[in-house]
Amino acid sequence: EEARRAGAELHNPMTATPEALRRGQHVFETICAVCHGPQGAGDGPIIGRFPNPPALTAEHARNLPDGQVYHVITRGQVIMPSHAAQVLPDDRWRVILYLRQLQGKATP
């Protein structure tokens, strides 16, 4: 419920500038790719050690509002822990910009 509310109420204040996308990519590759894989396909190197994470390029993830994704990064979800201590608030939005770019390149 809280995540859905965040999806409705929070909107990405960042613009997809080259600098924001580069920073988002750096944070994604440093923090997110270990689980979600370098292209967000859910095939990071933890596969086999933990339950497989979801593919961030799947339709469900593509349809999540930015605010809901921000909430998941901040608070965690299911077995994904909170990354609030590892990822600065503005960088969470930049990661989402980069993720949206990955999702645009992904095939359904």
Side-chain angles (χ1 to χ4, degrees), residues 30-41:
T30 303
I31 304 293
C32 311
V34 68
C35 295
H36 293 286
Q39 298 300 311

Side-chain angles (χ1 to χ4, degrees), residues 51-68:
N52 292 0
L56 300 176
T57 53
E59 182 177 355
H60 171 74
R62 288 194 317 264
N63 291 332
L64 291 174
D66 287 358
Q68 190 167 347

Side-chain angles (χ1 to χ4, degrees), residues 61-80:
R62 288 194 317 264
N63 291 332
L64 291 174
D66 287 358
Q68 190 167 347
V69 176
Y70 184 91
H71 183 274
V72 170
I73 295 168
T74 304
R75 303 291 297 273
Q77 176 176 286
V78 189
I79 69 164
M80 179 179 151

Side-chain angles (χ1 to χ4, degrees), residues 5-47:
R5 191 178 78 219
E9 295 177 4
L10 299 178
H11 302 282
N12 197 333
M14 300 287 171
T15 303
T17 63
E19 297 82 17
L21 289 168
R22 271 195 300 277
R23 177 67 183 170
Q25 179 178 5
H26 172 74
V27 174
F28 183 90
E29 290 172 349
T30 303
I31 304 293
C32 311
V34 68
C35 295
H36 293 286
Q39 298 300 311
D43 59 353
I46 62 116
I47 297 298

